[in-house]
Amino acid sequence: MTEATQTYIAPTPQAAIPDLRVAILGAGKMGGILLQAFLKTNLVDAENITATVGHAERAVALSAQYGVQVTTDNRGAAKGANVIILGVKPWQVPALLAEIKPSITPGTLVLSIAAGVKIGEMEEAAGKNVAVIRAMPNTPAMLTAGMTAFCRGSQVTDAQMKIAQRIFETVGRAVVVEEKHMDAVTGLSGSGPAFFYIIIEALAEGGVNMGLPRDVATLLASQTMFGSARMVLETGYHPAMLKDAVTTPAGSTVDGILALEEGGLRAALIQAVRKATLRAKELAKG
């Protein structure tokens, strides 16, 4: 496994992992996104996926939509799975682990995507000898453009870490971090898409204000952000260096940057990550 400084290449579709049986307990927003991504990329055979939801009617609808088994029985879904993904709300995790504890067998990997819930708390609820990985993906995983950071519990083997890496690199990019950084991951990449949508919306509004049609302005803003992110990821250059390459002396860009600094954009974004991180620490308490 590698640390956060490694540069990752863009993911490519891969064949299904042989004998991988996945239970997604809580196929809501993020759990549902991962379910769709697994099917879209053929990472897991449909017959080897079981998902759960809170209501029987929803289970029937999702089963018909995706062609996988969907139930309301968490313990039954977990039985026989070698990877169990916890997609419920953070405060629900301890009770869910207590519920499925009889279905967890040696070699089972419990993979939590619940914000704020520490590995030690999950090991205590599921049994200290259970392999637990704590992860934080984000919603662009729906388009296999996600960003996931994850960390390992004391019982996780190298082989299980490779499975988790494979799972998350199939839906985007993945990086291994220490658990002490996971709340900050939630504040930055977990919440970050919402921050970027606001920036895109604001840039598009600026274009509309200057006379551009709204659809054109939105396209210009969105593709510009997409391309700029690719420049950072694929060149490896620091964002400040890339910014300076656009900012010619006495040009239009520097005036725009001055307006951003006067408006406090930089400080506001830093504060947004800070506030989201602090809230992530509280979520597991309910």
Side-chain angles (χ1 to χ4, degrees):
M1 290 298 104
T2 52
E3 293 300 325
T5 53
Q6 179 177 349
T7 299
Y8 289 88
I9 61 172
T12 55
Q14 303 179 53
I17 299 178
D19 302 320
L20 184 63
R21 301 179 303 281
V22 177
I24 303 175
L25 308 185
K29 183 178 294 183
M30 184 54 66
I33 286 173
L34 291 176
L35 169 60
Q36 294 176 63
F38 294 161
L39 295 172
K40 183 177 181 180
T41 60
N42 297 314
L43 179 72
V44 188
D45 291 329
E47 59 267 27
N48 288 339
I49 299 176
T50 304
T52 67
V53 292
H55 302 284
E57 297 83 359
R58 178 66 173 159
V60 172
L62 282 182
S63 182
Q65 183 177 359
Y66 296 120
V68 301
Q69 181 181 357
V70 184
T71 177
T72 59
D73 180 7
N74 291 314
R75 185 181 296 183
K79 187 175 182 180
N82 45 31
V83 174
I84 299 173
I85 298 175
L86 307 182
V88 297
K89 297 184 184 302
W91 59 269
Q92 296 175 312
V93 169
L96 175 60
L97 286 171
E99 178 185 353
I100 67 171
K101 189 173 182 179
S103 297
I104 300 175
T105 58
T108 301
L109 171 61
V110 175
L111 202 165
S112 170
I113 57 174
V117 186
K118 292 180 171 59
I119 288 174
E121 297 170 358
M122 291 185 280
E123 289 177 337
E124 186 68 29
K128 292 185 181 298
N129 61 339
V130 173
V132 177
I133 286 178
R134 177 181 173 186
M136 177 49 57
N138 62 13
T139 54
M142 178 183 292
L143 303 178
T144 64
M147 183 68 239
T148 303
F150 64 104
C151 56
R152 70 193 298 170
S154 61
Q155 302 300 309
V156 177
T157 66
D158 289 344
Q160 288 171 324
M161 284 295 281
K162 289 179 180 177
I163 289 175
Q165 187 94 21
R166 174 84 178 274
I167 286 173
F168 290 122
E169 286 186 343
T170 299
V171 297
R173 294 175 181 247
V175 65
V176 179
V177 300
E178 297 179 38
E179 187 177 20
K180 65 182 181 181
H181 297 309
M182 286 300 295
D183 291 326
V185 167
T186 302
L188 176 53
S189 61
S191 300
F195 307 154
F196 292 128
Y197 297 144
I198 290 173
I199 294 171
I200 291 172
E201 183 183 32
L203 289 171
E205 290 288 352
V208 171
N209 188 46
M210 292 293 99
L212 288 172
R214 184 171 298 277
D215 58 341
V216 173
T218 301
L219 174 62
L220 291 171
S222 302
Q223 180 63 27
T224 299
M225 179 170 283
F226 172 72
S228 301
R230 284 193 63 183
M231 287 287 287
V232 174
L233 291 170
E234 296 185 21
T235 67
Y237 294 150
H238 192 280
M241 182 183 296
L242 294 169
K243 176 201 69 179
D244 289 347
V246 182
T247 311
T248 55
S252 59
T253 304
V254 69
D255 279 3
I257 290 174
L258 287 173
L260 294 177
E261 296 293 356
E262 289 170 358
L265 177 67
R266 186 188 301 267
L269 290 173
I270 292 171
Q271 185 70 348
V273 174
R274 178 179 177 275
K275 288 286 191 179
T277 299
L278 294 176
R279 179 57 180 153
K281 295 178 183 293
E282 300 172 349
L283 286 174
K285 301 174 185 177

